[in-house]
Amino acid sequence: MPRKPASPKLRSQGERLAASIRSRREDRDLSAESMARAADLSVDTVRRIERGVVPNPGFFTVAAMARVLELDLDGLVADVTSTSTPQQVSS
C-alpha cells in the first residue's frame, strides 16, 4: 500500500532532519559513503535522506545514522521538531 503524501509539517521536519544529519556528518569529515558503510545503509539511502527526498525515514535508519554520528536521538528529535533554527545536538 503506497504512503500518503507528506504533509507540509512533515516535509519541514524532514528538511530539518536532512540538514542536521548532513551538517553533523560534514562536521565529522565523513563522506556519505563512509557513513553508509558504518551504518550498514546504502549510499543512496543516506544521500536521499540528506537531500530531503525522504521526509519520513524509518526509525532504525535514523538510529543507525545517529549512532555513527554519535548523536543523541532525543536531542535530534527535539532539534528536528522545534519550530526554531536547528541547534547543536548533544552527543
Side-chain angles (χ1 to χ4, degrees):
M1 182 159 138
R3 288 185 175 189
K4 294 188 320 187
S7 68
K9 179 181 178 182
L10 188 59
R11 254 198 204 296
S12 176
Q13 289 174 345
E15 289 168 1
R16 286 196 296 272
L17 176 66
S20 184
I21 288 175
R22 184 177 53 253
S23 171
R24 270 56 173 202
R25 179 181 59 74
E26 290 171 348
D27 287 349
R28 286 165 178 74
D29 292 324
L30 281 174
S31 66
E33 293 83 1
S34 296
M35 186 165 84
R37 195 171 27 259
D40 198 25
L41 300 170
S42 73
V43 177
D44 186 53
T45 295
V46 170
R47 289 181 177 151
R48 289 172 51 87
I49 290 170
E50 287 187 350
R51 285 194 325 262
V53 175
V54 182
N56 189 18
F59 172 80
F60 292 106
T61 299
V62 174
M65 295 172 83
R67 179 185 48 79
V68 171
L69 298 173
E70 299 177 349
L71 297 176
D72 171 61
L73 279 176
D74 290 333
L76 182 60
V77 169
D79 190 34
V80 168
T81 59
S82 75
T83 55
S84 61
T85 305
Q87 300 171 1
Q88 185 68 23
V89 177
S90 62
S91 49

